Amino acid sequence: TQLLEQSPQFLSIQEGENLTVYCNSSSVFSSLQWYRQEPGEGPVLLVTVVTGGEVKKLKRLTFQFGDARKDSSLHITAAQPGDTGLYLCAPGGDNFNKFYFGSGTKLNVKP
Amino acid sequence: NAGVMQNPRHLVRRRGQEARLRCSPMKGHSHVYWYRQLPEEGLKFMVYLQKENIIDESGMPKERFSAEFPKEGPSILRIQQVVRGDSAAYFCASSPRVAGDVRLNEQFFGPGTRLTVL
């Protein structure tokens, strides 16, 4: 069962551009996590959002949790080549034994 | 990757051999998850274990695959009689997973084991 849909699947942009990627579901989650996976490495947790409408900032990355806690977005300002990677979202919380990751957005930032 | 250790990093096996993948969780974490990732694809859940217990193995193939997390030592993912389709990256994650605090369900991943079946 795929609970989370991520879009776009692929994104290739120039250094300095802004971008937004999305994580959507028809289910309500108690929390949602974003991870980044660089080529050849394991995913690294970026942030957990918990409250509906919550906005969290991590340097140039802004994460938002939808008011209804069904969706989330990640906005990157002035993207850099170091932002290149696969961005994954996953539901957190105690309701899920299986961690269903979205299929991910593969981001390539060209210098 | 936040202290989760996996070994080996790369494993080459011929068809029909056995593959053993090891995962040592972060200190203090008693919950381990295994995932498989094919090239250009996302992570697919395989199994969730606590010490000496398999909690959810609904993502594991019914045959040839098994997992354990003994009281002492690392978690082991075992693939018997490997086939070419088993070639993938296998990731382990650990979590402290205390009920009631969603932040403690955050997972920390190891660097993965890349299995190649010849």
Side-chain angles (χ1 to χ4, degrees), chain A residues 15 36 38 60 79-85 87 107 109-110:
Chain A
E15 182 176 1
R36 178 171 64 211
E38 297 183 11
R60 294 175 293 100
Q80 298 178 1
D83 296 326
T84 292
Y87 288 81
L107 173 65
V109 182
K110 294 175 282 188

Side-chain angles (χ1 to χ4, degrees), chain B residues 10-117:
Chain B
H10 300 275
L11 182 61
V12 179
R13 285 288 178 264
R14 297 191 179 279
R15 280 180 297 169
Q17 291 184 319
E18 179 179 285
R20 278 184 178 240
L21 287 61
R22 294 175 186 77
C23 169
S24 296
M26 279 185 68
K27 189 176 179 181
H29 288 190
S30 57
H31 302 261
V32 165
Y33 307 82
W34 284 93
Y35 297 85
R36 178 162 61 179
Q37 187 176 40
L38 296 172
E40 305 300 320
E41 292 190 11
L43 293 164
K44 302 296 183 189
F45 168 81
M46 298 181 75
V47 62
Y48 162 42
L49 309 104
Q50 295 178 23
K51 285 279 188 183
E52 299 184 279
N53 283 307
I54 297 174
I55 307 302
D56 187 333
E57 57 181 346
S58 58
M60 289 270 274
K62 294 285 186 280
E63 297 177 350
R64 303 188 296 108
F65 285 71
S66 62
E68 63 176 9
F69 189 15
K71 188 177 180 181
E72 301 290 338
S75 175
I76 306 286
L77 178 67
R78 183 182 176 204
I79 311 172
Q80 295 177 290
Q81 299 176 333
V82 296
V83 300
R84 288 212 174 113
D86 297 332
S87 295
Y90 292 84
F91 290 96
C92 159
S94 74
S95 168
R97 195 158 172 118
V98 174
D101 186 337
V102 298
R103 296 176 196 282
L104 295 182
N105 294 335
E106 294 165 348
Q107 295 184 70
F108 297 87
F109 282 82
T113 293
R114 276 144 193 87
L115 173 65
T116 301
V117 180

Side-chain angles (χ1 to χ4, degrees), chain A residues 2-41:
Chain A
Q2 185 72 332
L3 299 176
L4 294 164
E5 289 194 3
Q6 290 190 246
S7 61
Q9 272 191 291
F10 301 96
L11 190 55
S12 183
I13 60 172
Q14 290 294 139
E15 182 176 1
E17 292 184 14
N18 302 332
L19 67 117
T20 303
V21 299
Y22 301 92
C23 175
N24 296 305
S25 175
S26 56
S27 302
V28 176
F29 301 116
S30 57
S31 66
L32 194 136
Q33 298 162 5
W34 283 93
Y35 294 79
R36 178 171 64 211
Q37 184 181 22
E38 297 183 11
E41 300 295 330

Side-chain angles (χ1 to χ4, degrees), chain A residues 75-96:
Chain A
H75 182 79
I76 302 179
T77 304
Q80 298 178 1
D83 296 326
T84 292
L86 179 66
Y87 288 81
L88 298 159
C89 63
D94 201 49
N95 295 326
F96 296 91

Side-chain angles (χ1 to χ4, degrees), chain A residues 53-101:
Chain A
E54 181 178 8
V55 176
K56 279 192 173 178
K57 292 197 173 186
L58 188 67
K59 296 184 181 178
R60 294 175 293 100
L61 277 60
T62 302
F63 304 85
Q64 183 159 10
F65 201 14
D67 291 339
R69 289 185 286 121
K70 292 183 178 181
D71 52 79
S72 182
S73 64
L74 160 59
H75 182 79
I76 302 179
T77 304
Q80 298 178 1
D83 296 326
T84 292
L86 179 66
Y87 288 81
L88 298 159
C89 63
D94 201 49
N95 295 326
F96 296 91
N97 282 328
K98 303 171 191 135
F99 277 71
Y100 287 106
F101 282 82

